[in-house]
Amino acid sequence: LLAMSCNREPWILSRHLDRCLTSSSVRRQDIRSCIQYVMQNEYGRSLGWNFVRAKWTQLQETLGGFSSLSRLIATASEAFNTEFQLQELIDFAAKHPDAGSATRAIEQAIEKTKVNIRWMSDNEEVIYNWLLQNM
């Protein structure tokens, strides 16, 4: 599962995500990890987040326990640092107010994204200028 998630081709990663959820060859307890592996790949990060949003109800039914869903939210949002990504999280929270224990993970993802946006705002130009001068 991990090796398939390391691909750079979006169509392969997308197919892999679909198979994570629909294939009988992926054990139920491995579905979360399968999706997380794709989201940890820079080429699959947004694909994985889009997949989680699109398949949320099916993931709730399949994974059952909300701790797996919380981990998916945390993994999907760990590098979020734009207003667009923040709005996606806010929209997701509004669409799924009944996310159970994953609700807290969504709230934490929103908080962390706001902090990341603020950090980028405060530091991006400084780091960019330093890199221009020193590289």
mmCIF file of all heavy atoms in Angstrom, residues 8 21 35 43 50 72 85 96 124 126:
data_model
loop_
_atom_site.group_PDB
_atom_site.id
_atom_site.type_symbol
_atom_site.label_atom_id
_atom_site.label_comp_id
_atom_site.label_asym_id
_atom_site.label_seq_id
_atom_site.Cartn_x
_atom_site.Cartn_y
_atom_site.Cartn_z
ATOM 1 N N ARG A 8 3.963 9.485 -8.589
ATOM 2 C CA ARG A 8 3.808 10.912 -8.901
ATOM 3 C C ARG A 8 2.654 11.184 -9.852
ATOM 4 O O ARG A 8 2.321 12.338 -10.099
ATOM 5 C CB ARG A 8 5.089 11.457 -9.510
ATOM 6 C CG ARG A 8 6.233 11.480 -8.546
ATOM 7 C CD ARG A 8 7.462 12.039 -9.194
ATOM 8 N NE ARG A 8 8.533 12.125 -8.217
ATOM 9 C CZ ARG A 8 9.622 12.829 -8.391
ATOM 10 N NH1 ARG A 8 9.810 13.496 -9.506
ATOM 11 N NH2 ARG A 8 10.541 12.860 -7.463
ATOM 12 N N LEU A 21 -10.677 1.881 -0.900
ATOM 13 C CA LEU A 21 -12.015 1.838 -0.317
ATOM 14 C C LEU A 21 -12.891 0.740 -0.904
ATOM 15 O O LEU A 21 -13.792 0.245 -0.237
ATOM 16 C CB LEU A 21 -12.690 3.206 -0.507
ATOM 17 C CG LEU A 21 -13.912 3.516 0.327
ATOM 18 C CD1 LEU A 21 -13.633 3.334 1.815
ATOM 19 C CD2 LEU A 21 -14.375 4.936 0.068
ATOM 20 N N ILE A 35 -5.165 5.561 2.645
ATOM 21 C CA ILE A 35 -5.520 6.935 2.270
ATOM 22 C C ILE A 35 -4.482 7.920 2.814
ATOM 23 O O ILE A 35 -4.055 8.844 2.121
ATOM 24 C CB ILE A 35 -6.937 7.283 2.755
ATOM 25 C CG1 ILE A 35 -7.961 6.367 2.081
ATOM 26 C CG2 ILE A 35 -7.260 8.752 2.487
ATOM 27 C CD1 ILE A 35 -9.343 6.410 2.702
ATOM 28 N N TYR A 43 2.368 14.816 -4.184
ATOM 29 C CA TYR A 43 1.575 14.759 -5.400
ATOM 30 C C TYR A 43 0.143 14.274 -5.129
ATOM 31 O O TYR A 43 -0.728 14.441 -5.969
ATOM 32 C CB TYR A 43 2.240 13.853 -6.443
ATOM 33 C CG TYR A 43 3.609 14.339 -6.830
ATOM 34 C CD1 TYR A 43 4.748 13.816 -6.220
ATOM 35 C CD2 TYR A 43 3.770 15.342 -7.778
ATOM 36 C CE1 TYR A 43 6.011 14.273 -6.559
ATOM 37 C CE2 TYR A 43 5.030 15.807 -8.116
ATOM 38 C CZ TYR A 43 6.148 15.269 -7.503
ATOM 39 O OH TYR A 43 7.393 15.735 -7.834
ATOM 40 N N ASN A 50 -9.476 15.712 -1.274
ATOM 41 C CA ASN A 50 -10.700 15.704 -2.082
ATOM 42 C C ASN A 50 -11.428 14.362 -1.954
ATOM 43 O O ASN A 50 -12.656 14.315 -1.900
ATOM 44 C CB ASN A 50 -10.384 15.990 -3.549
ATOM 45 C CG ASN A 50 -9.936 17.423 -3.768
ATOM 46 O OD1 ASN A 50 -10.219 18.316 -2.974
ATOM 47 N ND2 ASN A 50 -9.218 17.643 -4.844
ATOM 48 N N LEU A 72 -7.518 10.882 9.597
ATOM 49 C CA LEU A 72 -7.555 11.298 8.190
ATOM 50 C C LEU A 72 -7.611 12.819 8.076
ATOM 51 O O LEU A 72 -6.916 13.418 7.261
ATOM 52 C CB LEU A 72 -8.750 10.676 7.470
ATOM 53 C CG LEU A 72 -8.655 9.191 7.142
ATOM 54 C CD1 LEU A 72 -9.956 8.685 6.534
ATOM 55 C CD2 LEU A 72 -7.482 8.918 6.214
ATOM 56 N N GLN A 85 -7.629 26.780 1.552
ATOM 57 C CA GLN A 85 -7.686 25.532 2.320
ATOM 58 C C GLN A 85 -8.490 25.717 3.611
ATOM 59 O O GLN A 85 -9.241 24.830 4.013
ATOM 60 C CB GLN A 85 -6.273 25.036 2.618
ATOM 61 C CG GLN A 85 -5.552 24.577 1.376
ATOM 62 C CD GLN A 85 -4.055 24.432 1.577
ATOM 63 O OE1 GLN A 85 -3.431 25.201 2.301
ATOM 64 N NE2 GLN A 85 -3.477 23.435 0.915
ATOM 65 N N HIS A 96 -20.769 18.798 7.596
ATOM 66 C CA HIS A 96 -20.770 17.587 8.422
ATOM 67 C C HIS A 96 -20.740 17.934 9.913
ATOM 68 O O HIS A 96 -19.775 17.605 10.610
ATOM 69 C CB HIS A 96 -19.578 16.699 8.065
ATOM 70 C CG HIS A 96 -19.538 16.298 6.644
ATOM 71 N ND1 HIS A 96 -20.394 15.346 6.115
ATOM 72 C CD2 HIS A 96 -18.783 16.721 5.615
ATOM 73 C CE1 HIS A 96 -20.146 15.204 4.835
ATOM 74 N NE2 HIS A 96 -19.179 16.030 4.499
ATOM 75 N N GLU A 124 6.889 34.584 5.415
ATOM 76 C CA GLU A 124 7.174 34.180 4.044
ATOM 77 C C GLU A 124 8.116 35.158 3.337
ATOM 78 O O GLU A 124 9.103 34.751 2.716
ATOM 79 C CB GLU A 124 5.875 34.033 3.248
ATOM 80 C CG GLU A 124 6.082 33.541 1.841
ATOM 81 C CD GLU A 124 4.768 33.313 1.109
ATOM 82 O OE1 GLU A 124 3.785 34.015 1.401
ATOM 83 O OE2 GLU A 124 4.750 32.445 0.236
ATOM 84 N N VAL A 126 10.205 37.373 4.637
ATOM 85 C CA VAL A 126 11.514 37.391 5.288
ATOM 86 C C VAL A 126 12.358 36.203 4.807
ATOM 87 O O VAL A 126 13.533 36.357 4.452
ATOM 88 C CB VAL A 126 11.353 37.352 6.827
ATOM 89 C CG1 VAL A 126 12.693 37.177 7.522
ATOM 90 C CG2 VAL A 126 10.643 38.596 7.323
#
